[in-house]
């Protein structure tokens, strides 16, 4: 599971995904669960297909939540369980898919017996466009509207790089650890991800080839 990442620069979002800010709230470069971050979705109020940039909480607020401050983690969602999980099944069914722009993301590596953080960038220097789902939740008491999103993950037990991340469970064999990876949506597939059918979206939910990654150990943040 991914629990921290660095957002793309504002100018990168505008240039790379051909989208404007429209006076959005600022966001931090380093994003952690329940912090604000940017995401790109199909514009809700446009008559045709357009993209819009939104700032919301990294941690999807489901329709049944009583408060925006959740007591459980929703910043990641297992893609294999989207249709069954109460938190995610409605956004998935409604096609509320989004792109999470990221310069890099971090994962823990435990091969030495203790945690060594690794950072993952793209080898081509482009920003990542990570697959996500979004939701809009309204506080019934105040009328305040909260935007939020979650980052999708996929089983990576057999991926040569991502299978090395995260602390292994000593009770499980190597091929049943359920190691996870984010899902990268390539630039040419963004429209299909945002506006395609559910089946078309499923076609894009695949692991990224190892040669796309620029991955290396880093010092823990101070």
């Amino acid at each position: 599971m991914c629990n921290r990442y660095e957002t793309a620069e504002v100018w990168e979002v505008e240039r790379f995904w051909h989208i404007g800010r429209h006076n959005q709230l600022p966001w931090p470069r380093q994003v952690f669960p329940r912090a604000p971050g940017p995401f790109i979705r199909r514009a809700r109020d446009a008559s045709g297909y357009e993209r819009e940039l939104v700032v919301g909480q990294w941690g999807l607020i489901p329709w049944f939540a009583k408060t925006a401050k959740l007591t459980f983690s929703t910043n990641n969602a297992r893609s294999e369980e989207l249709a069954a999980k109460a938190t995610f099944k409605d956004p998935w069914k409604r096609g509320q898919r989004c792109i999470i722009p990221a310069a890099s993301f971090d994962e823990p590596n435990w091969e030495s017996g203790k945690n060594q953080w690794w950072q993952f960038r793209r080898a081509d220097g482009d920003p990542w466009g990570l697959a996500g789902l979004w939701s809009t939740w309204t506080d019934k008491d105040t009328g305040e509207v909260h935007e939020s999103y979650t980052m999708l993950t996929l089983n990576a037990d057999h991926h040569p790089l991502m299978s090395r991340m995260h602390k292994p469970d000593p009770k499980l064999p190597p091929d049943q650890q359920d190691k996870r990876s984010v899902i990268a949506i390539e630039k040419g597939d963004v429209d299909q991800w945002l506006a395609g059918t559910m089946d078309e979206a499923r076609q894009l939910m695949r692991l990224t080839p190892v040669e796309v990654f620029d991955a290396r150990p880093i010092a823990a943040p101070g």
Side-chain angles (χ1 to χ4, degrees):
M1 297 292 186
C2 180
N3 285 307
R4 71 188 203 197
Y5 71 96
E6 182 180 299
T7 63
E9 294 276 12
V10 172
W11 65 266
E12 286 184 295
V13 176
E14 294 176 340
R15 176 186 60 82
F16 193 80
W17 285 282
H18 306 292
I19 193 167
R21 280 171 288 174
H22 301 296
N23 298 316
Q24 288 292 346
L25 295 173
W27 59 78
R29 287 302 309 279
Q30 290 285 342
V31 183
F32 296 89
R34 298 184 177 87
F39 62 92
I40 300 164
R41 68 185 176 197
R42 181 173 183 171
R44 297 182 65 192
D45 300 326
S47 56
Y49 171 72
E50 296 179 20
R51 301 174 187 176
E52 67 178 353
L53 180 65
V54 183
V55 176
Q57 172 182 283
W58 184 26
L60 189 141
I61 307 171
W63 65 268
F64 55 81
K66 303 300 184 183
T67 174
K69 295 182 179 180
L70 303 178
T71 58
F72 50 95
S73 176
T74 60
N75 58 293
N76 290 155
R78 285 179 166 84
S79 60
E80 303 92 339
E81 301 175 348
L82 295 178
K85 288 287 186 179
T87 298
F88 306 118
K89 66 179 182 180
D90 282 354
W92 171 246
K93 179 175 63 177
R94 293 170 181 158
Q96 292 173 199
R97 300 183 293 268
C98 65
I99 294 289
I100 303 165
S104 66
F105 61 91
D106 298 342
E107 301 287 6
N109 180 296
W110 285 80
E111 291 176 325
S112 68
K114 58 183 180 180
N115 180 17
Q116 166 67 66
W117 284 100
W118 280 48
Q119 186 174 83
F120 296 79
R121 295 182 178 271
R122 288 186 62 105
D124 59 12
D126 286 343
W128 294 104
L130 304 179
L133 293 178
W134 63 269
S135 182
T136 300
W137 180 84
T138 303
D139 189 312
K140 294 180 180 179
D141 295 328
T142 66
E144 184 178 4
V145 177
H146 295 261
E147 299 281 5
S148 62
Y149 64 100
T150 188
M151 189 179 292
L152 304 189
T153 68
L154 196 63
N155 179 277
D157 282 347
H158 302 289
H159 192 274
L161 177 61
M162 301 308 294
S163 64
R164 298 171 56 192
M165 302 301 126
H166 299 280
K167 191 173 185 178
D169 185 340
K171 299 179 182 178
L172 296 175
D175 62 344
Q176 297 180 23
Q177 290 289 317
D178 196 23
K179 298 293 186 75
R180 311 299 298 178
S181 173
V182 297
I183 301 172
I185 304 297
E186 295 302 313
K187 186 178 182 181
D189 295 328
V190 168
D191 291 339
Q192 179 175 327
W193 176 253
L194 295 181
T197 65
M198 190 178 295
D199 286 340
E200 289 172 333
R202 285 197 187 98
Q203 295 172 14
L204 302 177
M205 296 167 68
R206 52 186 179 243
L207 295 174
T208 301
V210 69
E211 61 267 20
V212 176
F213 291 93
D214 176 8
R216 62 192 66 190
I218 58 170

